[in-house]
Amino acid sequence: MSDESFAERVYWLTRQIPAGTVATYGQIATYAGSPRAARAVGNLMKASLKNEEEVPWHRVINSQGRISSKGDVERAELQRRLLVAEGVAFGEDDRCDLETVEWEPEEIFWDV
DNA sequence: TTAGTGACTGCAT
DNA sequence: CATGCAGCCACTA
């Protein structure tokens, strides 16, 4: 696993996120081995759509507990619907409580 | 090989 | 609380 590309690790990790919980870009980047690559993770999530990757991309949000739309309002709304459907609550400020819904891996998957 | 890009982040205004 | 800004980084053309 540690010899896979950063992208592969990101996709794999994203697939490990249980329904009803969310992870931040930075969190995924950290587990993937590059704590400072949150931005790159965002690019990969975007690419995962185009590449038709089978990953729960909607479970990845920003460190503010908000959905990063960056222009694509449609995708943002879809993402929010999917999360709400899984039980993730959003306040009126469009922010969810990371303290309660953030994904917390129970075991370390590989050497960090 | 190099330059451009952006679903990020934390700190400063 | 809202913006702005400068690092940071893997990916792509």
Side-chain angles (χ1 to χ4, degrees), chain A residues 9 12 34 38-39 43 55 60 70 73 79-80 82 93-94 105 110:
Chain A
R9 293 199 296 277
W12 183 83
S34 296
R39 206 167 183 172
N43 290 332
V55 301
V60 184
K70 287 303 180 188
V73 183
Q79 180 164 12
R80 172 162 174 155
L82 290 172
D93 54 354
D94 292 306
W110 55 70

Side-chain angles (χ1 to χ4, degrees), chain A residues 48-64:
Chain A
S48 75
L49 290 175
K50 177 185 176 184
N51 300 331
E52 298 180 359
E53 290 285 339
E54 294 180 20
V55 301
W57 53 271
H58 60 282
R59 304 196 185 132
V60 184
I61 62 181
N62 64 33
S63 63
Q64 305 303 302

Side-chain angles (χ1 to χ4, degrees), chain A residues 4-104:
Chain A
E4 294 282 347
S5 69
F6 178 75
E8 291 300 323
R9 293 199 296 277
V10 168
Y11 292 143
W12 183 83
L13 280 166
T14 304
R15 280 188 288 262
Q16 310 310 303
I17 307 174
T21 69
V22 297
T24 64
Y25 298 99
Q27 189 177 16
I28 295 298
T30 297
Y31 286 121
S34 296
R36 313 284 177 169
R39 206 167 183 172
V41 172
N43 290 332
L44 289 173
M45 288 300 103
K46 179 181 179 180
S48 75
L49 290 175
K50 177 185 176 184
N51 300 331
E52 298 180 359
E53 290 285 339
E54 294 180 20
V55 301
W57 53 271
H58 60 282
R59 304 196 185 132
V60 184
I61 62 181
N62 64 33
S63 63
Q64 305 303 302
R66 299 174 174 238
I67 292 174
S68 297
S69 53
K70 287 303 180 188
D72 194 333
V73 183
E74 288 186 33
R75 195 209 77 251
E77 290 186 0
L78 168 61
Q79 180 164 12
R80 172 162 174 155
R81 286 204 307 281
L82 290 172
L83 289 175
V84 172
E86 295 182 347
V88 177
F90 281 84
E92 294 191 21
D93 54 354
D94 292 306
R95 202 164 56 65
C96 68
D97 187 356
L98 289 177
E99 290 292 315
T100 64
V101 300
E102 183 172 43
W103 175 44
E104 290 176 29

